Amino acid sequence: MKSSVNNAVRRRATGAALVALVLGGGAVGCSKGAAQESPALTPAAAVAKAAKKTEDITSLRYRMTGKVPGEGRVSGEAAMSMKPLAMSMKMTAEDQATDGPVEIRLVGKAMYIGAGAEAAKEMNGKSWIKFDMSALGADKNLNADQLGGGQADKNPATESTFLTGSKNVKKVGTETVAGVRTTHYKGTVTLAEFRKSLQGRDKATREKREKALDQYSKMGIDAITMDMWIDGADHTKQFRMRGAADKGPLDMTVTFLEFNKPVTVTAPPAKDTVDLAEMMKGAQQG
């Protein structure tokens, strides 16, 4: 049973985890009003100002769509609170044969993944699998980083700061995104350029941004083309990231619907949940 459940969970979780990994970073912003730009504010300064505002995020809700390397087209919606840490994400892998959207919930130090109908057959009808993020690692085939848990504690504002390392940020024009007037900026940045731009930053900021950078290095991405749509309150309303990875193209667009609003995520009912650690411990003892 252990092997079949592991395989079912891995198929369900991998695509969602990659999205969570990519979107464990992001930008944030959602305010109404016309896009306004100071005559003295250069494109680079506007992007830097928006990046600075991401440091004050406490929660956000967003939707995403695009392509993930090795997984194909994905779409979904998520909500996340930074303090206390909690996340709820529903994701659909459109190019893969699955039995419905994958749902991930992060509550405290536990991550729950909706196992789907096939895995539920192997778990006496239970449809959720619980992963203790502080205890995972004993099973090399199902560890926290593979399932996206290694990215779960990141402030999902980090990737929006990548464009601050670009040397060719340009203003594209003004556009309406989800009913909000924004200013569209675009540029390219190599990972080496962004890493260099972190020199002189405070230790906490530098470490957080370097951690986000590392995930792209592991994908084999050397450079990122980025579009940002910034609203009149200097928040990033939407961003798009594109890059060439070892397993195919990365092309993700994230649109922010709310931020700094209450986010509540609850654990699935215990009667519908299997604890992976207990299940594996029982299998080992058996």
Side-chain angles (χ1 to χ4, degrees), residues 100-268:
V102 177
E103 182 173 359
I104 295 178
R105 298 183 193 177
L106 182 67
V107 183
K109 294 183 179 180
M111 182 166 68
Y112 301 84
I113 294 182
E118 290 303 314
K121 293 178 182 178
E122 301 286 343
M123 302 187 302
N124 297 321
K126 295 186 177 183
S127 55
W128 289 88
I129 294 182
K130 176 183 177 181
F131 301 86
D132 183 344
M133 304 309 296
S134 62
L136 276 178
D139 185 343
K140 294 181 181 180
N141 292 321
L142 287 173
N143 58 69
D145 287 332
Q146 179 185 344
L147 293 170
Q151 305 298 321
D153 61 348
K154 285 176 40 184
N155 182 330
T158 307
E159 267 76 345
S160 68
T161 66
F162 280 18
L163 196 54
T164 61
S166 174
K167 298 178 180 179
N168 63 353
V169 181
K170 299 177 181 179
K171 176 182 174 181
V172 178
T174 56
E175 300 172 20
T176 299
V177 176
V180 176
R181 290 281 293 170
T182 67
T183 302
H184 180 184
Y185 298 94
K186 184 175 183 177
T188 58
V189 59
T190 66
L191 271 58
E193 287 174 338
F194 183 66
R195 198 178 298 277
K196 185 177 181 180
S197 74
L198 297 178
Q199 296 176 2
R201 297 280 185 176
D202 63 273
K203 183 179 179 181
T205 299
R206 186 176 67 254
E207 290 180 347
K208 179 173 60 177
R209 296 182 182 180
E210 285 181 344
K211 181 179 179 181
L213 197 65
D214 288 343
Q215 68 193 34
Y216 291 93
S217 295
K218 291 176 181 178
M219 291 183 194
I221 295 175
D222 297 319
I224 292 173
T225 297
M226 190 166 184
D227 291 77
M228 290 178 64
W229 289 261
I230 300 174
D231 68 18
D234 302 312
H235 289 122
T236 301
K237 175 63 178 174
Q238 179 173 276
F239 80 102
R240 181 184 183 189
M241 301 182 75
R242 287 171 288 168
D246 292 338
K247 294 184 178 180
L250 168 70
D251 186 347
M252 290 297 300
T253 297
V254 180
T255 305
F256 291 90
L257 309 174
E258 287 184 339
F259 74 105
N260 295 344
K261 301 289 185 180
V263 170
T264 301
V265 182
T266 58

